[in-house]
Amino acid sequence: MHINIQTLLIQIKKICEHRHVKLTAQRLEVLRLISQQYHQSISAYDLLNLLRTSSLPHAKPSTIYRALHFLLAQRFIHRIESTNKFMLCKYFLELSHNFVFFICNHCKQVTEQTIKGVEEILHHTAKLRGFVISNNIIESHGLCFNCTNSTHVSITNSSFLSQRK
């Protein structure tokens, strides 16, 4: 899936105006940088380095963290808990959605996929234990389709070659 970053940023500007929240130039630039990493997640310090080379050479870590805090609060981005990295929310136009992250251990691609019914299962199970869920993040680590196929081919070929010797 290919996105038009300019169109995306225009949509987000309109959403911020509608919500009466301020999308500063720095927040917008951080969002643009995250948007360029469409199928990847990025760390705060990698964002800081990109920000310093692209538009704000004297940016400080607090600049990034304030922008990330705002973008997370507005649900434009997600934090990948297991890697402490950030990525664009593909479904930010929806008021809320349940999702799972599929994170490739090999190529580091991160795919956000909406899922139906998991929230009800989690809340039901929590209720049985007397637990109230305030937040849930589901992350699955493994190999994406491309890496599974290339790994399978590599394993198959190396097994075949070692058997022939």
Side-chain angles (χ1 to χ4, degrees):
M1 179 180 181
H2 176 71
I3 62 163
N4 181 315
I5 294 174
Q6 200 59 32
T7 302
L8 173 102
L9 296 177
I10 289 169
Q11 286 177 312
I12 288 176
K13 283 181 188 179
K14 289 178 182 175
I15 291 169
C16 287
E17 287 172 11
H18 178 73
R19 293 178 182 170
H20 304 290
V21 294
K22 188 170 184 176
L23 183 63
T24 64
Q26 290 175 345
R27 292 170 176 172
L28 187 62
E29 181 62 11
V30 169
L31 183 60
R32 185 186 68 77
L33 293 170
I34 292 171
S35 301
Q36 291 175 336
Q37 312 293 318
Y38 191 67
H39 284 295
Q40 300 289 324
S41 54
I42 187 167
S43 72
Y45 280 95
D46 287 340
L47 277 168
L48 179 60
N49 290 334
L50 286 174
L51 189 62
R52 285 177 174 165
T53 58
S54 69
S55 61
L56 291 171
H58 302 292
K60 299 191 178 351
S62 59
T63 304
I64 288 292
Y65 285 109
R66 281 193 304 269
L68 290 171
H69 178 75
F70 172 83
L71 297 171
L72 284 166
Q74 295 302 315
R75 300 180 186 256
F76 297 137
I77 64 172
H78 292 295
R79 180 174 178 257
I80 309 296
E81 300 287 329
S82 62
T83 60
N84 196 23
K85 292 184 176 183
F86 302 88
M87 70 176 288
L88 180 70
C89 174
K90 315 288 188 295
Y91 305 97
F92 68 86
L93 290 173
E94 298 178 24
L95 291 177
S96 81
H97 61 280
N98 299 313
F99 55 88
V100 62
F101 294 120
F102 294 105
I103 305 164
C104 182
N105 293 332
H106 182 61
C107 72
K108 307 303 181 207
Q109 176 176 314
V110 180
T111 305
E112 176 186 3
Q113 180 65 52
T114 59
I115 50 177
K116 302 263 188 243
V118 75
E119 184 112 9
E120 292 80 17
I121 293 168
L122 287 171
H123 283 286
H124 174 72
T125 305
K127 186 177 179 180
L128 293 175
R129 306 287 302 161
F131 188 83
V132 178
I133 297 174
S134 61
N135 184 33
N136 69 70
I137 297 169
I138 303 171
E139 300 178 12
S140 296
H141 292 261
L143 293 175
C144 67
F145 178 79
N146 291 333
C147 291
T148 300
N149 287 336
S150 65
T151 303
H152 178 69
V153 170
S154 299
I155 291 170
T156 304
N157 287 341
S158 63
S159 297
F160 176 73
L161 291 175
S162 65
Q163 290 175 356
R164 291 192 61 184
K165 290 184 179 178

